[in-house]
Amino acid sequence: MNTFLALLTSVIFSLNFSSEVPYSSLEKAFKANQSADIVSLGKEMMVINILSNEGVYSSQQATLVLKNFFSKHPGNSFEYTFKGKQTSDGAFAIANYFSKSEKYRVTIHFKKINASYKIESLSIEKD
């Protein structure tokens, strides 16, 4: 019985209950210009600032706003330049997004909600 309990405990802890910031998922979504995938990593309401146009958006609205940006500025390169320390409150990251010959600075603030990090705000500015 003790062996069974030890095995069950190790299986539970090996499951992905990690509270990692979803850096790689966000990177893949930006490279593929997948606005819905980016928004799925965010809170129910997100602050989005694109080229100095800021607003607080629901998931559906945020998806449309990002989709509009990607349709005008398609790209395939996204590189982090800074990943902040994960804290009990959240995390912060800065990245570069490249669209044709244009370079954009992407700033992301993550908020820790329960056991996961969710995008609280996302800013895209011309670099």
Side-chain angles (χ1 to χ4, degrees):
M1 185 68 171
N2 287 339
T3 306
F4 175 73
L5 289 176
L7 179 63
L8 181 62
T9 303
S10 66
V11 167
I12 289 172
F13 284 113
S14 69
L15 294 174
N16 193 8
F17 287 116
S18 67
S19 58
E20 298 275 327
V21 178
Y23 291 125
S24 61
S25 298
L26 186 62
E27 180 179 1
K28 288 176 190 173
F30 260 95
K31 285 181 177 179
N33 294 185
Q34 293 295 321
S35 56
D37 292 349
I38 294 168
V39 172
S40 73
L41 299 171
K43 293 173 47 179
E44 287 183 32
M45 298 295 287
M46 287 176 38
V47 176
I48 297 181
N49 180 354
I50 297 180
L51 305 175
S52 298
N53 292 320
E54 184 175 74
V56 178
Y57 301 102
S58 68
S59 296
Q60 287 180 327
Q61 293 169 322
T63 301
L64 292 174
V65 168
L66 287 169
K67 186 176 182 176
N68 184 45
F69 171 78
F70 288 134
S71 70
K72 293 178 182 174
H73 310 281
N76 61 1
S77 180
F78 183 86
E79 301 170 352
Y80 287 103
T81 58
F82 176 80
K83 293 179 183 177
K85 182 179 174 185
Q86 297 178 29
T87 68
S88 60
D89 293 329
F92 174 80
I94 299 171
N96 290 321
Y97 171 76
F98 298 91
S99 172
K100 298 180 184 174
S101 61
E102 299 173 316
K103 180 180 172 186
Y104 297 90
R105 178 182 169 153
V106 180
T107 306
I108 309 109
H109 292 269
F110 296 93
K111 176 130 178 108
K112 188 167 186 182
I113 300 173
N114 297 323
S116 62
Y117 288 87
K118 298 285 188 181
I119 298 171
E120 182 172 44
S121 67
L122 184 139
S123 175
I124 302 173
E125 294 297 328
K126 189 115 163 114
D127 197 23

